Amino acid sequence: MSSPIVLQWAVKQGLSVPAADKSAKCPGDVVSRLCKSDNSNCRQEINDGGFTCHCSKGYDGNPYIADGCQDIDECNIPSIRQSCLGGYCNNLPGHYECRCPRGTHGNASEPQGCVTNSATDIAERMIIPLDELAKATDNFNKAREIGGGGHGTVYKGILLDLNVVAIKKSKITLQKEIDEFINEVAILSQINHKNVVKLFGCCLETEVPLLVYEFIPNGTLDQHLHIEEPKRSLSWSNRLRIATEISTSLAYLHSSVSIPIIHRDIKSANILLDATMTSKISDFGASRYIPVDNKGLTTRIQGTFGYLDPECFNTGRLNEKSDVYSFGVILVELLTRKKPTCSHLSNEYGGLVPHFLNLLASRNLDQIMDPQVLEEGGTEVQQVVTLAASCINIRGEERPTMRQVELALEGLQQGSNKKYKKNDMVAEEFENRSIGGNYPSRTSEGQRVQESSRRYSLEQEMMMSARYPR
């Protein structure tokens, strides 16, 4: 039979040992010589007058060596973590606290003790302390980098409320960058839509402000669409679904928010895909509110070559139809798997859009269509082609609204879903490989497409050969 032994000891040798008193405090010279670790304290034992060192409350380890006492993470103790009934446990040096989730306030130790903040608290809710972001990213460790470029770096992190986030840290302190930061916070703080990336908040404690978004793990539509052969790209059913989701979010921005918004830089690289491949629009730095009179506004040209509305470029007038044009380019991109920014298409044909319209008018569209779309798609492919052509009409007033586009795509997707099994990545084989042959030029729809193409041909050299500024 064995029993535990408790060894009690104290240090006397080499130390001056005054008579012990009830306070049990150690002389200053003893503390400095004996207790080497921060967050430790010294005690004189009453029984024999010797001295012992102990880690402070909330710390554990060896107080006799430098940095020997380390913080105890109380939030890893189940009983303490579970005591935060209405919120979450937040570890602090030497202790902990129960916090309400971001956007709420109250008593986090009580069930349902945290209530939603009022509208006046929104600004405070959006501010995230720098120390929290530093902790979330392991002090902005290079191993946490998930993207970046000339404008800055994006880090992956976990906030105290356990939300996984992407933290955008800009490098440049130009006024233009600051203006875009303010613009993005102002717009995204008012948007709540499943197909728009969520902004959790920002940090204003650094020279260049930091933006904190929800973390979207699956990259961009551009990355998934333009993969190298022989890998198969996104299935046609997924492309149609993604197009519908993008149109839904743009229709929401144009007509459902209190002050309508023009995104101004819609492109496949700004469409993020989450863990379930649901699309989310990102990058609102260039966005603008639509004037109340809905007549558009005059602004400096901004956008991405290949996606930029030629009418806006030519006149400087911006309205929601500029987003419609950019979305139409994405539809063409989904149909052809060709990049609108491809220099080969720009040099030889004036760009992807004019090449697409010219082939459509001559009923030779199968020359540019993605073979995978021809293989997997059905009759709805023809209707998406027609819809794309209407969106990229050279005349903005003849383009549909995003609400009309949304309704059209939702109808097509519902019809498509009847043919495809849920989660099935391969569709029925498309029976008619020649899409161009299904557009007789004598129909009214065909005439409109041909007229649009002819107008485009007259103006494309002037407008599409330009290198639009970002």
Side-chain angles (χ1 to χ4, degrees):
M1 180 177 179
S2 61
S3 60
I5 297 177
V6 178
L7 178 65
Q8 293 184 334
W9 58 278
V11 179
K12 285 185 177 181
Q13 187 173 358
L15 301 173
S16 58
V17 183
D21 58 28
K22 292 183 179 180
S23 69
K25 291 183 178 180
C26 303
D29 63 322
V30 173
V31 175
S32 60
R33 292 179 60 190
L34 193 62
C35 305
K36 299 296 185 182
S37 178
D38 292 335
N39 303 305
S40 65
N41 52 68
C42 178
R43 186 172 67 211
Q44 185 176 16
E45 303 298 330
I46 296 177
N47 293 335
D48 60 5
F51 305 101
T52 56
C53 295
H54 306 268
C55 289
S56 303
K57 184 179 180 180
Y59 294 85
D60 191 25
N62 186 349
Y64 296 97
I65 61 175
D67 300 320
C69 292
Q70 297 295 314
D71 176 51
I72 298 172
D73 189 346
E74 290 89 351
C75 295
N76 285 333
I77 302 173
S79 60
I80 292 179
R81 185 173 63 248
Q82 293 166 8
S83 69
C84 299
L85 301 175
Y88 64 94
C89 179
N90 177 42
N91 184 60
L92 296 171
H95 61 110
Y96 73 96
E97 64 178 1
C98 291
R99 280 189 180 180
C100 287
R102 194 177 306 281
T104 65
H105 68 280
N107 186 352
S109 298
E110 296 291 334
Q112 300 180 339
C114 298
V115 296
T116 303
N117 292 339
S118 64
T120 56
D121 296 322
I122 291 178
E124 181 179 350
R125 172 173 58 86
M126 296 293 291
I127 302 300
I128 301 177
L130 180 60
D131 61 347
E132 182 174 350
L133 297 184
K135 184 175 182 180
T137 58
D138 192 18
N139 203 26
F140 298 99
N141 193 309
K142 191 171 180 64
R144 296 292 186 94
E145 292 183 13
I146 57 173
H151 293 290
T153 307
V154 180
Y155 298 86
K156 181 181 178 181
I158 303 177
L159 298 181
L160 294 175
D161 57 9
L162 302 184
N163 275 308
V164 182
V165 295
I167 302 167
K168 186 177 179 181
K169 185 178 184 182
S170 297
K171 294 179 181 177
I172 305 173
T173 57
L174 297 176
Q175 187 58 45
K176 176 178 176 289
E177 300 284 337
I178 302 299
D179 292 343
E180 289 186 355
F181 163 84
I182 296 172
N183 190 67
E184 185 150 13
V185 171
I187 288 178
L188 282 179
S189 62
Q190 302 179 55
I191 297 175
N192 182 21
H193 193 277
K194 66 178 181 179
N195 298 120
V196 175
V197 66
K198 182 178 180 181
L199 178 69
F200 279 106
C202 60
C203 177
L204 305 177
E205 299 176 43
T206 54
E207 181 181 4
V208 181
L210 308 177
L211 285 174
V212 184
Y213 307 89
E214 64 174 317
F215 175 66
I216 310 296
N218 260 333
T220 68
L221 173 60
D222 177 85
Q223 293 169 335
H224 282 269
L225 192 59
H226 302 293
I227 59 174
E228 294 183 3
E229 301 289 352
K231 292 182 180 179
R232 292 177 72 83
S233 182
L234 292 167
S235 69
W236 169 245
S237 58
N238 271 333
R239 296 187 207 188
L240 185 58
R241 175 186 55 78
I242 289 170
T244 305
E245 291 171 350
I246 300 170
S247 70
T248 300
S249 55
L250 285 176
Y252 165 82
L253 295 174
H254 290 179
S255 57
S256 295
V257 294
S258 56
I259 305 178
I261 297 164
I262 308 171
H263 185 279
R264 213 178 173 201
D265 196 17
I266 292 295
K267 58 182 178 180
S268 58
N270 281 342
I271 307 300
L272 305 181
L273 300 173
D274 70 8
T276 62
M277 296 299 284
T278 298
S279 61
K280 294 178 181 283
I281 296 180
S282 68
D283 197 349
F284 284 75
S287 302
R288 291 292 181 269
Y289 293 109
I290 300 177
V292 177
D293 60 14
N294 203 29
K295 293 181 180 178
L297 54 91
T298 302
T299 179
R300 66 186 176 89
I301 305 303
Q302 190 163 347
T304 300
F305 169 71
Y307 297 89
L308 183 60
D309 174 14
E311 186 174 69
C312 176
F313 175 78
N314 196 37
T315 65
R317 298 290 294 175
L318 177 70
N319 59 42
E320 71 275 11
K321 293 299 182 72
S322 298
D323 278 351
V324 175
Y325 179 90
S326 300
F327 175 77
V329 178
I330 288 183
L331 285 182
V332 174
E333 196 173 356
L334 291 170
L335 289 164
T336 64
R337 206 151 71 88
K338 300 288 190 296
K339 290 197 174 196
T341 56
C342 175
S343 58
H344 164 70
L345 288 174
S346 298
N347 295 333
E348 190 168 349
Y349 303 107
L352 175 61
V353 168
H355 187 39
F356 177 86
L357 288 174
N358 287 334
L359 288 174
L360 176 60
S362 63
R363 294 184 292 178
N364 290 312
L365 199 56
D366 55 328
Q367 294 181 15
I368 197 175
M369 291 291 289
D370 180 10
Q372 188 175 334
V373 171
L374 297 177
E375 177 188 342
E376 297 178 7
T379 55
E380 73 275 359
V381 174
Q382 305 168 27
Q383 298 173 67
V384 174
V385 167
T386 302
L387 186 61
S390 67
C391 290
I392 56 178
N393 194 308
I394 196 70
R395 296 174 60 87
E397 61 187 25
E398 296 183 12
R399 298 170 197 156
T401 65
M402 283 310 308
R403 185 64 71 193
Q404 291 171 324
V405 173
E406 175 194 15
L407 293 174
L409 285 172
E410 284 182 344
L412 291 177
Q413 191 185 12
Q414 289 172 4
S416 176
N417 286 341
K418 293 179 181 179
K419 297 187 304 178
Y420 301 110
K421 293 180 180 179
K422 190 175 182 180
N423 298 325
D424 187 4
M425 299 299 290
V426 180
E428 299 173 357
E429 185 173 355
F430 187 32
E431 294 180 356
N432 189 341
R433 296 298 182 100
S434 180
I435 290 181
N438 294 307
Y439 291 90
S441 61
R442 295 187 183 275
T443 65
S444 58
E445 183 64 40
Q447 289 171 353
R448 284 198 298 272
V449 171
Q450 285 184 324
E451 290 168 2
S452 173
S453 179
R454 284 196 293 270
R455 283 197 302 269
Y456 208 103
S457 298
L458 293 173
E459 299 178 33
Q460 65 186 29
E461 183 174 354
M462 175 183 68
M463 288 184 284
M464 296 302 293
S465 63
R467 292 299 182 264
Y468 305 140
R470 170 69 178 85

